[in-house]
């Protein structure tokens, strides 16, 4: 059974810092990995999706990397802003017939201090 | 406008009540999902409707019953719920295509409280 772990559970940084969020998964047979953002009382917003054949994806100040063989992904946020404060969730899609079924980590709660 | 709309946003019900959660997607997707988000637990996939096929998590109790009348609408019927069922219920949709993965789009959820 796939398990996804996110470290740290919470992170507080001053505005302007670069930061890295970590995600690890136990079964490397994945179809893709996605990073989501969740604001309080809201649903999830998809940030980046990395196919299993890719190494990284970039969108603006966000860069996500994937090392499938070691079961790890990182989300790099450059020049953090207070508006980046949210919970960041990592999710993996299994290989094969269940490729659309996501397994989530518990998330990292990020606070960016002005 | 998220493209995925859930109603109601908040629901308080007793254990003997029957209620339904509604989800509607305006994105033309062909797959819809129900997730449960409890405090301090990862999001848990409950049900998937994809290309008229239903896939469910075998650990979901029978007091939760999904219905998908068409590709744009998804319901979750609730009856005789327990206090531990209090959670945020999220609906999502995506476009399933052979050979490529598409991101799931989420609604803002229904916050359910069982008295």
């Amino acid at each position: 059974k796939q398990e996804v772990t996110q470290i740290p559970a919470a992170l507080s940084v001053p505005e302007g810092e670069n930061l890295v969020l970590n995600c690890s998964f136990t079964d490397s047979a994945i179809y893709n990995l996605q990073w989501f953002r969740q604001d309080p009382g809201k649903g999830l917003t998809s940030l980046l999706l990395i196919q299993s054949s890719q190494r990284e994806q970039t969108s603006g100040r966000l860069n996500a990397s994937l090392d499938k063989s070691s079961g790890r992904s990182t989300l790099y946020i450059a020049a953090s802003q207070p508006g980046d404060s949210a919970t960041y969730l990592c999710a993996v899609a299994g290989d094969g017939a269940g490729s659309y079924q996501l397994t989530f980590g518990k998330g990292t709660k990020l606070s960016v201090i002005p | 406008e998220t493209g995925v709309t859930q109603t109601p946003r908040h629901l308080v019900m007793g254990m003997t009540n029957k209620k339904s959660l509604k989800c509607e997607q305006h994105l033309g997707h062909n797959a819809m999902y129900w997730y449960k988000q409890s405090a301090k637990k990862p999001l848990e996939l409950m049900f998937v409707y994809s290309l008229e096929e239903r896939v469910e998590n075998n650990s979901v109790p029978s007091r939760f019953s999904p219905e998908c009348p068409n590709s744009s609408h998804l319901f979750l019927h609730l009856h005789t719920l327990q206090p531990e069922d209090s959670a945020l219920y999220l609906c999502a949709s995506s476009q399933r295509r052979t050979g490529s993965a598409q991101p799931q789009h989420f609604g803002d959820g229904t916050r359910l409280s069982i008295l």
Side-chain angles (χ1 to χ4, degrees):
Chain A
K1 180 185 173 184
Q2 178 74 270
E3 291 186 4
V4 179
T5 303
Q6 291 187 246
I7 295 173
L11 180 64
S12 184
V13 300
E15 180 178 3
E17 273 204 4
N18 303 324
L19 59 100
V20 175
L21 307 181
N22 297 292
C23 172
S24 62
F25 46 95
T26 55
D27 187 349
S28 61
I30 66 169
Y31 190 59
N32 63 62
L33 182 143
Q34 296 182 50
W35 283 94
F36 293 87
R37 167 188 174 136
Q38 186 175 29
D39 293 288
K42 296 288 188 178
L44 279 64
T45 301
S46 180
L47 298 173
L48 291 165
L49 184 154
I50 310 177
Q51 306 278 11
S52 61
S53 58
Q54 296 175 323
R55 296 284 293 183
E56 65 178 339
Q57 281 286 332
T58 298
S59 176
R61 294 182 294 107
L62 305 180
N63 176 277
S65 69
L66 173 64
D67 185 341
K68 184 179 166 184
S69 61
S70 67
R72 287 186 290 191
S73 174
T74 61
L75 179 67
Y76 175 83
I77 302 177
S80 58
Q81 303 171 357
D84 295 331
S85 298
T87 297
Y88 290 81
L89 297 164
C90 169
V92 297
D95 210 344
S99 62
Y100 49 88
Q101 299 184 35
L102 297 177
T103 301
F104 282 83
K106 293 183 181 180
T108 294
K109 186 175 182 180
L110 173 65
S111 298
V112 181
I113 312 301
Chain B
E1 175 60 51
T2 63
V4 179
T5 304
Q6 291 187 241
T7 54
R9 290 297 314 278
H10 302 274
L11 179 62
V12 180
M13 56 187 286
M15 290 191 286
T16 58
N17 292 155
K18 291 184 180 180
K19 295 286 185 183
S20 296
L21 310 185
K22 179 182 177 182
C23 177
E24 183 174 1
Q25 59 98 358
H26 314 275
L27 300 168
H29 289 163
N30 60 10
M32 296 187 76
Y33 313 77
W34 278 118
Y35 288 90
K36 176 183 179 182
Q37 188 175 33
S38 304
K40 300 182 180 180
K41 288 186 178 181
L43 261 80
E44 175 188 5
L45 179 66
M46 301 176 71
F47 300 102
V48 181
Y49 276 87
S50 175
L51 301 174
E52 301 180 358
E53 172 193 13
R54 171 176 145 179
V55 178
E56 58 189 273
N57 182 338
N58 291 330
S59 67
V60 177
S62 59
R63 55 186 183 267
F64 294 92
S65 174
E67 178 189 1
C68 190
N70 54 60
S71 60
S72 300
H73 294 86
L74 184 65
F75 295 90
L76 187 63
H77 303 300
L78 317 171
H79 65 96
T80 59
L81 294 192
Q82 302 299 310
E84 62 265 28
D85 298 323
S86 297
L88 180 66
Y89 288 84
L90 292 164
C91 173
S93 69
S94 71
Q95 184 64 21
R96 285 198 65 203
R97 297 192 186 115
T98 302
S100 71
Q102 302 298 317
Q104 294 184 17
H105 295 254
F106 283 76
D108 284 340
T110 294
R111 173 67 63 184
L112 177 65
S113 299
I114 307 300
L115 300 178

